[in-house]
mmCIF file with all atom_site columns, all heavy atoms in Angstrom:
data_model
loop_
_atom_site.group_PDB
_atom_site.id
_atom_site.type_symbol
_atom_site.label_atom_id
_atom_site.label_alt_id
_atom_site.label_comp_id
_atom_site.label_asym_id
_atom_site.label_entity_id
_atom_site.label_seq_id
_atom_site.pdbx_PDB_ins_code
_atom_site.Cartn_x
_atom_site.Cartn_y
_atom_site.Cartn_z
_atom_site.occupancy
_atom_site.B_iso_or_equiv
_atom_site.pdbx_formal_charge
_atom_site.auth_seq_id
_atom_site.auth_comp_id
_atom_site.auth_asym_id
_atom_site.auth_atom_id
_atom_site.pdbx_PDB_model_num
ATOM 1   N N   . LEU A 1 3   ? -0.718  2.151   -15.468 1.00 81.00 ? 3   LEU A N   1
ATOM 2   C CA  . LEU A 1 3   ? -0.584  3.160   -14.419 1.00 81.00 ? 3   LEU A CA  1
ATOM 3   C C   . LEU A 1 3   ? -1.969  3.656   -14.019 1.00 81.00 ? 3   LEU A C   1
ATOM 4   O O   . LEU A 1 3   ? -2.906  3.616   -14.814 1.00 81.00 ? 3   LEU A O   1
ATOM 5   C CB  . LEU A 1 3   ? 0.264   4.327   -14.904 1.00 81.00 ? 3   LEU A CB  1
ATOM 6   C CG  . LEU A 1 3   ? 1.715   4.009   -15.252 1.00 81.00 ? 3   LEU A CG  1
ATOM 7   C CD1 . LEU A 1 3   ? 2.441   5.277   -15.675 1.00 81.00 ? 3   LEU A CD1 1
ATOM 8   C CD2 . LEU A 1 3   ? 2.424   3.354   -14.096 1.00 81.00 ? 3   LEU A CD2 1
ATOM 9   N N   . GLY A 1 9   ? -6.043  14.680  -5.230  1.00 97.00 ? 9   GLY A N   1
ATOM 10  C CA  . GLY A 1 9   ? -6.307  14.467  -3.813  1.00 97.00 ? 9   GLY A CA  1
ATOM 11  C C   . GLY A 1 9   ? -6.576  13.043  -3.405  1.00 97.00 ? 9   GLY A C   1
ATOM 12  O O   . GLY A 1 9   ? -6.794  12.776  -2.220  1.00 97.00 ? 9   GLY A O   1
ATOM 13  N N   . MET A 1 11  ? -6.280  9.398   -2.089  1.00 98.00 ? 11  MET A N   1
ATOM 14  C CA  . MET A 1 11  ? -5.412  8.551   -1.276  1.00 98.00 ? 11  MET A CA  1
ATOM 15  C C   . MET A 1 11  ? -5.606  7.132   -1.774  1.00 98.00 ? 11  MET A C   1
ATOM 16  O O   . MET A 1 11  ? -6.715  6.597   -1.734  1.00 98.00 ? 11  MET A O   1
ATOM 17  C CB  . MET A 1 11  ? -5.806  8.626   0.198   1.00 98.00 ? 11  MET A CB  1
ATOM 18  C CG  . MET A 1 11  ? -4.926  7.733   1.074   1.00 98.00 ? 11  MET A CG  1
ATOM 19  S SD  . MET A 1 11  ? -5.663  7.384   2.691   1.00 98.00 ? 11  MET A SD  1
ATOM 20  C CE  . MET A 1 11  ? -6.928  6.191   2.253   1.00 98.00 ? 11  MET A CE  1
ATOM 21  N N   . GLY A 1 19  ? 6.380   -8.945  -1.211  1.00 89.00 ? 19  GLY A N   1
ATOM 22  C CA  . GLY A 1 19  ? 6.781   -9.704  -2.386  1.00 89.00 ? 19  GLY A CA  1
ATOM 23  C C   . GLY A 1 19  ? 5.732   -9.802  -3.473  1.00 89.00 ? 19  GLY A C   1
ATOM 24  O O   . GLY A 1 19  ? 5.938   -10.494 -4.462  1.00 89.00 ? 19  GLY A O   1
ATOM 25  N N   . SER A 1 23  ? 5.770   -2.284  -4.299  1.00 91.00 ? 23  SER A N   1
ATOM 26  C CA  . SER A 1 23  ? 6.796   -1.250  -4.466  1.00 91.00 ? 23  SER A CA  1
ATOM 27  C C   . SER A 1 23  ? 7.183   -1.070  -5.927  1.00 91.00 ? 23  SER A C   1
ATOM 28  O O   . SER A 1 23  ? 7.415   0.057   -6.372  1.00 91.00 ? 23  SER A O   1
ATOM 29  C CB  . SER A 1 23  ? 8.028   -1.567  -3.622  1.00 91.00 ? 23  SER A CB  1
ATOM 30  O OG  . SER A 1 23  ? 7.686   -1.512  -2.255  1.00 91.00 ? 23  SER A OG  1
ATOM 31  N N   . ALA A 1 27  ? 6.635   2.480   -7.812  1.00 93.00 ? 27  ALA A N   1
ATOM 32  C CA  . ALA A 1 27  ? 7.782   3.142   -8.437  1.00 93.00 ? 27  ALA A CA  1
ATOM 33  C C   . ALA A 1 27  ? 7.499   3.595   -9.870  1.00 93.00 ? 27  ALA A C   1
ATOM 34  O O   . ALA A 1 27  ? 8.234   4.424   -10.411 1.00 93.00 ? 27  ALA A O   1
ATOM 35  C CB  . ALA A 1 27  ? 8.997   2.214   -8.414  1.00 93.00 ? 27  ALA A CB  1
ATOM 36  N N   . TRP A 1 33  ? 4.379   11.038  -5.181  1.00 96.00 ? 33  TRP A N   1
ATOM 37  C CA  . TRP A 1 33  ? 3.115   10.439  -4.759  1.00 96.00 ? 33  TRP A CA  1
ATOM 38  C C   . TRP A 1 33  ? 3.323   9.366   -3.704  1.00 96.00 ? 33  TRP A C   1
ATOM 39  O O   . TRP A 1 33  ? 2.413   9.041   -2.952  1.00 96.00 ? 33  TRP A O   1
ATOM 40  C CB  . TRP A 1 33  ? 2.413   9.770   -5.933  1.00 96.00 ? 33  TRP A CB  1
ATOM 41  C CG  . TRP A 1 33  ? 1.898   10.647  -7.012  1.00 96.00 ? 33  TRP A CG  1
ATOM 42  C CD1 . TRP A 1 33  ? 2.191   11.969  -7.239  1.00 96.00 ? 33  TRP A CD1 1
ATOM 43  C CD2 . TRP A 1 33  ? 0.995   10.260  -8.047  1.00 96.00 ? 33  TRP A CD2 1
ATOM 44  N NE1 . TRP A 1 33  ? 1.533   12.406  -8.349  1.00 96.00 ? 33  TRP A NE1 1
ATOM 45  C CE2 . TRP A 1 33  ? 0.786   11.380  -8.871  1.00 96.00 ? 33  TRP A CE2 1
ATOM 46  C CE3 . TRP A 1 33  ? 0.356   9.069   -8.367  1.00 96.00 ? 33  TRP A CE3 1
ATOM 47  C CZ2 . TRP A 1 33  ? -0.047  11.350  -9.981  1.00 96.00 ? 33  TRP A CZ2 1
ATOM 48  C CZ3 . TRP A 1 33  ? -0.476  9.036   -9.472  1.00 96.00 ? 33  TRP A CZ3 1
ATOM 49  C CH2 . TRP A 1 33  ? -0.674  10.173  -10.274 1.00 96.00 ? 33  TRP A CH2 1
ATOM 50  N N   . LEU A 1 39  ? 10.879  2.850   3.786   1.00 93.00 ? 39  LEU A N   1
ATOM 51  C CA  . LEU A 1 39  ? 11.867  3.941   3.722   1.00 93.00 ? 39  LEU A CA  1
ATOM 52  C C   . LEU A 1 39  ? 11.997  4.663   5.056   1.00 93.00 ? 39  LEU A C   1
ATOM 53  O O   . LEU A 1 39  ? 13.091  5.087   5.438   1.00 93.00 ? 39  LEU A O   1
ATOM 54  C CB  . LEU A 1 39  ? 11.503  4.923   2.615   1.00 93.00 ? 39  LEU A CB  1
ATOM 55  C CG  . LEU A 1 39  ? 11.529  4.363   1.199   1.00 93.00 ? 39  LEU A CG  1
ATOM 56  C CD1 . LEU A 1 39  ? 11.104  5.447   0.200   1.00 93.00 ? 39  LEU A CD1 1
ATOM 57  C CD2 . LEU A 1 39  ? 12.893  3.814   0.849   1.00 93.00 ? 39  LEU A CD2 1
ATOM 58  N N   . ALA A 1 44  ? 14.985  5.569   10.172  1.00 92.00 ? 44  ALA A N   1
ATOM 59  C CA  . ALA A 1 44  ? 15.029  5.562   11.633  1.00 92.00 ? 44  ALA A CA  1
ATOM 60  C C   . ALA A 1 44  ? 16.055  4.591   12.209  1.00 92.00 ? 44  ALA A C   1
ATOM 61  O O   . ALA A 1 44  ? 16.571  4.821   13.308  1.00 92.00 ? 44  ALA A O   1
ATOM 62  C CB  . ALA A 1 44  ? 13.644  5.227   12.193  1.00 92.00 ? 44  ALA A CB  1
ATOM 63  N N   . ALA A 1 58  ? 5.153   4.869   11.001  1.00 93.00 ? 58  ALA A N   1
ATOM 64  C CA  . ALA A 1 58  ? 3.733   5.168   10.808  1.00 93.00 ? 58  ALA A CA  1
ATOM 65  C C   . ALA A 1 58  ? 3.426   6.627   11.139  1.00 93.00 ? 58  ALA A C   1
ATOM 66  O O   . ALA A 1 58  ? 2.595   7.258   10.465  1.00 93.00 ? 58  ALA A O   1
ATOM 67  C CB  . ALA A 1 58  ? 2.877   4.229   11.657  1.00 93.00 ? 58  ALA A CB  1
ATOM 68  N N   . ILE A 1 60  ? 5.526   9.134   10.740  1.00 95.00 ? 60  ILE A N   1
ATOM 69  C CA  . ILE A 1 60  ? 6.041   9.883   9.583   1.00 95.00 ? 60  ILE A CA  1
ATOM 70  C C   . ILE A 1 60  ? 5.059   9.754   8.420   1.00 95.00 ? 60  ILE A C   1
ATOM 71  O O   . ILE A 1 60  ? 4.726   10.746  7.763   1.00 95.00 ? 60  ILE A O   1
ATOM 72  C CB  . ILE A 1 60  ? 7.443   9.389   9.187   1.00 95.00 ? 60  ILE A CB  1
ATOM 73  C CG1 . ILE A 1 60  ? 8.438   9.671   10.316  1.00 95.00 ? 60  ILE A CG1 1
ATOM 74  C CG2 . ILE A 1 60  ? 7.904   10.030  7.871   1.00 95.00 ? 60  ILE A CG2 1
ATOM 75  C CD1 . ILE A 1 60  ? 9.762   8.947   10.171  1.00 95.00 ? 60  ILE A CD1 1
ATOM 76  N N   . GLN A 1 61  ? 4.606   8.526   8.170   1.00 94.00 ? 61  GLN A N   1
ATOM 77  C CA  . GLN A 1 61  ? 3.628   8.302   7.101   1.00 94.00 ? 61  GLN A CA  1
ATOM 78  C C   . GLN A 1 61  ? 2.408   9.190   7.305   1.00 94.00 ? 61  GLN A C   1
ATOM 79  O O   . GLN A 1 61  ? 1.937   9.846   6.375   1.00 94.00 ? 61  GLN A O   1
ATOM 80  C CB  . GLN A 1 61  ? 3.191   6.835   7.088   1.00 94.00 ? 61  GLN A CB  1
ATOM 81  C CG  . GLN A 1 61  ? 2.009   6.565   6.164   1.00 94.00 ? 61  GLN A CG  1
ATOM 82  C CD  . GLN A 1 61  ? 1.433   5.187   6.366   1.00 94.00 ? 61  GLN A CD  1
ATOM 83  O OE1 . GLN A 1 61  ? 1.876   4.269   5.697   1.00 94.00 ? 61  GLN A OE1 1
ATOM 84  N NE2 . GLN A 1 61  ? 0.467   5.038   7.257   1.00 94.00 ? 61  GLN A NE2 1
ATOM 85  N N   . ILE A 1 76  ? 0.089   7.632   -2.940  1.00 98.00 ? 76  ILE A N   1
ATOM 86  C CA  . ILE A 1 76  ? 0.074   6.174   -2.972  1.00 98.00 ? 76  ILE A CA  1
ATOM 87  C C   . ILE A 1 76  ? 0.775   5.673   -1.714  1.00 98.00 ? 76  ILE A C   1
ATOM 88  O O   . ILE A 1 76  ? 1.933   6.010   -1.474  1.00 98.00 ? 76  ILE A O   1
ATOM 89  C CB  . ILE A 1 76  ? 0.763   5.626   -4.237  1.00 98.00 ? 76  ILE A CB  1
ATOM 90  C CG1 . ILE A 1 76  ? -0.054  6.014   -5.478  1.00 98.00 ? 76  ILE A CG1 1
ATOM 91  C CG2 . ILE A 1 76  ? 0.939   4.117   -4.147  1.00 98.00 ? 76  ILE A CG2 1
ATOM 92  C CD1 . ILE A 1 76  ? 0.562   5.588   -6.794  1.00 98.00 ? 76  ILE A CD1 1
ATOM 93  N N   . ARG A 1 93  ? -8.461  9.335   7.854   1.00 97.00 ? 93  ARG A N   1
ATOM 94  C CA  . ARG A 1 93  ? -7.695  10.532  7.470   1.00 97.00 ? 93  ARG A CA  1
ATOM 95  C C   . ARG A 1 93  ? -8.249  11.105  6.163   1.00 97.00 ? 93  ARG A C   1
ATOM 96  O O   . ARG A 1 93  ? -8.399  12.314  6.024   1.00 97.00 ? 93  ARG A O   1
ATOM 97  C CB  . ARG A 1 93  ? -6.217  10.195  7.327   1.00 97.00 ? 93  ARG A CB  1
ATOM 98  C CG  . ARG A 1 93  ? -5.527  9.938   8.642   1.00 97.00 ? 93  ARG A CG  1
ATOM 99  C CD  . ARG A 1 93  ? -4.016  9.816   8.437   1.00 97.00 ? 93  ARG A CD  1
ATOM 100 N NE  . ARG A 1 93  ? -3.310  10.742  9.292   1.00 97.00 ? 93  ARG A NE  1
ATOM 101 C CZ  . ARG A 1 93  ? -3.210  10.618  10.604  1.00 97.00 ? 93  ARG A CZ  1
ATOM 102 N NH1 . ARG A 1 93  ? -3.777  9.613   11.216  1.00 97.00 ? 93  ARG A NH1 1
ATOM 103 N NH2 . ARG A 1 93  ? -2.543  11.512  11.309  1.00 97.00 ? 93  ARG A NH2 1
ATOM 104 N N   . LEU A 1 105 ? -5.586  -3.780  -4.920  1.00 97.00 ? 105 LEU A N   1
ATOM 105 C CA  . LEU A 1 105 ? -5.521  -5.063  -4.240  1.00 97.00 ? 105 LEU A CA  1
ATOM 106 C C   . LEU A 1 105 ? -4.639  -5.999  -5.062  1.00 97.00 ? 105 LEU A C   1
ATOM 107 O O   . LEU A 1 105 ? -4.949  -6.311  -6.212  1.00 97.00 ? 105 LEU A O   1
ATOM 108 C CB  . LEU A 1 105 ? -6.921  -5.653  -4.079  1.00 97.00 ? 105 LEU A CB  1
ATOM 109 C CG  . LEU A 1 105 ? -7.020  -7.031  -3.445  1.00 97.00 ? 105 LEU A CG  1
ATOM 110 C CD1 . LEU A 1 105 ? -6.416  -7.051  -2.040  1.00 97.00 ? 105 LEU A CD1 1
ATOM 111 C CD2 . LEU A 1 105 ? -8.472  -7.478  -3.422  1.00 97.00 ? 105 LEU A CD2 1
ATOM 112 N N   . VAL A 1 113 ? 3.915   -15.050 -4.835  1.00 89.00 ? 113 VAL A N   1
ATOM 113 C CA  . VAL A 1 113 ? 4.438   -14.162 -3.792  1.00 89.00 ? 113 VAL A CA  1
ATOM 114 C C   . VAL A 1 113 ? 5.661   -14.793 -3.127  1.00 89.00 ? 113 VAL A C   1
ATOM 115 O O   . VAL A 1 113 ? 6.678   -14.127 -2.914  1.00 89.00 ? 113 VAL A O   1
ATOM 116 C CB  . VAL A 1 113 ? 3.336   -13.849 -2.751  1.00 89.00 ? 113 VAL A CB  1
ATOM 117 C CG1 . VAL A 1 113 ? 3.908   -13.111 -1.554  1.00 89.00 ? 113 VAL A CG1 1
ATOM 118 C CG2 . VAL A 1 113 ? 2.223   -13.038 -3.384  1.00 89.00 ? 113 VAL A CG2 1
ATOM 119 N N   . THR A 1 115 ? 7.749   -16.996 -4.362  1.00 90.00 ? 115 THR A N   1
ATOM 120 C CA  . THR A 1 115 ? 8.862   -16.998 -5.318  1.00 90.00 ? 115 THR A CA  1
ATOM 121 C C   . THR A 1 115 ? 9.481   -15.608 -5.430  1.00 90.00 ? 115 THR A C   1
ATOM 122 O O   . THR A 1 115 ? 10.709  -15.456 -5.396  1.00 90.00 ? 115 THR A O   1
ATOM 123 C CB  . THR A 1 115 ? 8.376   -17.480 -6.704  1.00 90.00 ? 115 THR A CB  1
ATOM 124 O OG1 . THR A 1 115 ? 7.857   -18.803 -6.568  1.00 90.00 ? 115 THR A OG1 1
ATOM 125 C CG2 . THR A 1 115 ? 9.496   -17.465 -7.719  1.00 90.00 ? 115 THR A CG2 1
ATOM 126 N N   . ALA A 1 118 ? 11.422  -14.674 -2.255  1.00 87.00 ? 118 ALA A N   1
ATOM 127 C CA  . ALA A 1 118 ? 12.701  -15.385 -2.141  1.00 87.00 ? 118 ALA A CA  1
ATOM 128 C C   . ALA A 1 118 ? 13.786  -14.750 -3.008  1.00 87.00 ? 118 ALA A C   1
ATOM 129 O O   . ALA A 1 118 ? 14.976  -14.876 -2.705  1.00 87.00 ? 118 ALA A O   1
ATOM 130 C CB  . ALA A 1 118 ? 12.526  -16.855 -2.523  1.00 87.00 ? 118 ALA A CB  1
ATOM 131 N N   . VAL A 1 129 ? 5.141   -14.069 5.342   1.00 89.00 ? 129 VAL A N   1
ATOM 132 C CA  . VAL A 1 129 ? 4.518   -13.875 4.030   1.00 89.00 ? 129 VAL A CA  1
ATOM 133 C C   . VAL A 1 129 ? 3.197   -14.638 3.953   1.00 89.00 ? 129 VAL A C   1
ATOM 134 O O   . VAL A 1 129 ? 2.171   -14.101 3.517   1.00 89.00 ? 129 VAL A O   1
ATOM 135 C CB  . VAL A 1 129 ? 5.478   -14.307 2.896   1.00 89.00 ? 129 VAL A CB  1
ATOM 136 C CG1 . VAL A 1 129 ? 4.768   -14.319 1.551   1.00 89.00 ? 129 VAL A CG1 1
ATOM 137 C CG2 . VAL A 1 129 ? 6.694   -13.399 2.856   1.00 89.00 ? 129 VAL A CG2 1
ATOM 138 N N   . ARG A 1 130 ? 3.205   -15.898 4.397   1.00 92.00 ? 130 ARG A N   1
ATOM 139 C CA  . ARG A 1 130 ? 1.977   -16.708 4.362   1.00 92.00 ? 130 ARG A CA  1
ATOM 140 C C   . ARG A 1 130 ? 0.883   -16.095 5.236   1.00 92.00 ? 130 ARG A C   1
ATOM 141 O O   . ARG A 1 130 ? -0.288  -16.021 4.831   1.00 92.00 ? 130 ARG A O   1
ATOM 142 C CB  . ARG A 1 130 ? 2.271   -18.143 4.804   1.00 92.00 ? 130 ARG A CB  1
ATOM 143 C CG  . ARG A 1 130 ? 2.970   -18.977 3.731   1.00 92.00 ? 130 ARG A CG  1
ATOM 144 C CD  . ARG A 1 130 ? 3.036   -20.453 4.103   1.00 92.00 ? 130 ARG A CD  1
ATOM 145 N NE  . ARG A 1 130 ? 3.798   -20.697 5.326   1.00 92.00 ? 130 ARG A NE  1
ATOM 146 C CZ  . ARG A 1 130 ? 5.124   -20.847 5.376   1.00 92.00 ? 130 ARG A CZ  1
ATOM 147 N NH1 . ARG A 1 130 ? 5.838   -20.764 4.274   1.00 92.00 ? 130 ARG A NH1 1
ATOM 148 N NH2 . ARG A 1 130 ? 5.728   -21.058 6.528   1.00 92.00 ? 130 ARG A NH2 1
ATOM 149 N N   . LEU A 1 135 ? -4.234  -12.769 5.430   1.00 94.00 ? 135 LEU A N   1
ATOM 150 C CA  . LEU A 1 135 ? -4.953  -11.598 5.931   1.00 94.00 ? 135 LEU A CA  1
ATOM 151 C C   . LEU A 1 135 ? -5.421  -10.662 4.818   1.00 94.00 ? 135 LEU A C   1
ATOM 152 O O   . LEU A 1 135 ? -6.234  -9.760  5.065   1.00 94.00 ? 135 LEU A O   1
ATOM 153 C CB  . LEU A 1 135 ? -4.061  -10.803 6.892   1.00 94.00 ? 135 LEU A CB  1
ATOM 154 C CG  . LEU A 1 135 ? -3.778  -11.435 8.242   1.00 94.00 ? 135 LEU A CG  1
ATOM 155 C CD1 . LEU A 1 135 ? -2.737  -10.628 8.998   1.00 94.00 ? 135 LEU A CD1 1
ATOM 156 C CD2 . LEU A 1 135 ? -5.060  -11.574 9.050   1.00 94.00 ? 135 LEU A CD2 1
ATOM 157 N N   . PRO A 1 137 ? -7.414  -8.832  2.268   1.00 97.00 ? 137 PRO A N   1
ATOM 158 C CA  . PRO A 1 137 ? -8.875  -8.784  2.101   1.00 97.00 ? 137 PRO A CA  1
ATOM 159 C C   . PRO A 1 137 ? -9.290  -9.025  0.649   1.00 97.00 ? 137 PRO A C   1
ATOM 160 O O   . PRO A 1 137 ? -8.446  -9.086  -0.249  1.00 97.00 ? 137 PRO A O   1
ATOM 161 C CB  . PRO A 1 137 ? -9.222  -7.362  2.530   1.00 97.00 ? 137 PRO A CB  1
ATOM 162 C CG  . PRO A 1 137 ? -8.004  -6.575  2.150   1.00 97.00 ? 137 PRO A CG  1
ATOM 163 C CD  . PRO A 1 137 ? -6.838  -7.508  2.416   1.00 97.00 ? 137 PRO A CD  1
ATOM 164 N N   . LEU A 1 142 ? -12.869 -4.422  0.851   1.00 98.00 ? 142 LEU A N   1
ATOM 165 C CA  . LEU A 1 142 ? -12.328 -3.063  0.732   1.00 98.00 ? 142 LEU A CA  1
ATOM 166 C C   . LEU A 1 142 ? -13.429 -2.065  0.379   1.00 98.00 ? 142 LEU A C   1
ATOM 167 O O   . LEU A 1 142 ? -13.470 -0.953  0.926   1.00 98.00 ? 142 LEU A O   1
ATOM 168 C CB  . LEU A 1 142 ? -11.202 -3.027  -0.301  1.00 98.00 ? 142 LEU A CB  1
ATOM 169 C CG  . LEU A 1 142 ? -9.948  -3.813  0.082   1.00 98.00 ? 142 LEU A CG  1
ATOM 170 C CD1 . LEU A 1 142 ? -8.959  -3.852  -1.082  1.00 98.00 ? 142 LEU A CD1 1
ATOM 171 C CD2 . LEU A 1 142 ? -9.281  -3.226  1.318   1.00 98.00 ? 142 LEU A CD2 1
ATOM 172 N N   . GLU A 1 145 ? -15.525 -1.467  3.455   1.00 98.00 ? 145 GLU A N   1
ATOM 173 C CA  . GLU A 1 145 ? -14.817 -0.625  4.428   1.00 98.00 ? 145 GLU A CA  1
ATOM 174 C C   . GLU A 1 145 ? -14.911 0.853   4.073   1.00 98.00 ? 145 GLU A C   1
ATOM 175 O O   . GLU A 1 145 ? -14.757 1.701   4.945   1.00 98.00 ? 145 GLU A O   1
ATOM 176 C CB  . GLU A 1 145 ? -13.343 -1.022  4.500   1.00 98.00 ? 145 GLU A CB  1
ATOM 177 C CG  . GLU A 1 145 ? -13.114 -2.352  5.171   1.00 98.00 ? 145 GLU A CG  1
ATOM 178 C CD  . GLU A 1 145 ? -11.662 -2.804  5.106   1.00 98.00 ? 145 GLU A CD  1
ATOM 179 O OE1 . GLU A 1 145 ? -10.792 -2.028  4.644   1.00 98.00 ? 145 GLU A OE1 1
ATOM 180 O OE2 . GLU A 1 145 ? -11.393 -3.945  5.501   1.00 98.00 ? 145 GLU A OE2 1
ATOM 181 N N   . GLY A 1 160 ? -2.585  -3.375  -19.012 1.00 51.00 ? 160 GLY A N   1
ATOM 182 C CA  . GLY A 1 160 ? -1.350  -2.712  -19.422 1.00 51.00 ? 160 GLY A CA  1
ATOM 183 C C   . GLY A 1 160 ? -0.481  -3.564  -20.310 1.00 51.00 ? 160 GLY A C   1
ATOM 184 O O   . GLY A 1 160 ? 0.570   -3.120  -20.769 1.00 51.00 ? 160 GLY A O   1
ATOM 185 N N   . PRO A 1 163 ? 0.700   -5.991  -27.091 1.00 33.00 ? 163 PRO A N   1
ATOM 186 C CA  . PRO A 1 163 ? 0.417   -7.113  -27.988 1.00 33.00 ? 163 PRO A CA  1
ATOM 187 C C   . PRO A 1 163 ? 1.531   -8.130  -28.001 1.00 33.00 ? 163 PRO A C   1
ATOM 188 O O   . PRO A 1 163 ? 2.648   -7.853  -27.700 1.00 33.00 ? 163 PRO A O   1
ATOM 189 C CB  . PRO A 1 163 ? 0.264   -6.449  -29.373 1.00 33.00 ? 163 PRO A CB  1
ATOM 190 C CG  . PRO A 1 163 ? 0.828   -5.074  -29.243 1.00 33.00 ? 163 PRO A CG  1
ATOM 191 C CD  . PRO A 1 163 ? 0.888   -4.740  -27.791 1.00 33.00 ? 163 PRO A CD  1
#
Side-chain angles (χ1 to χ4, degrees):
L3 297 182
M11 179 198 75
S23 295
W33 292 14
L39 296 178
I60 296 167
Q61 170 191 270
I76 294 177
R93 288 189 125 71
L105 177 59
V113 171
T115 300
V129 171
R130 284 190 298 274
L135 289 172
L142 294 173
E145 289 174 6

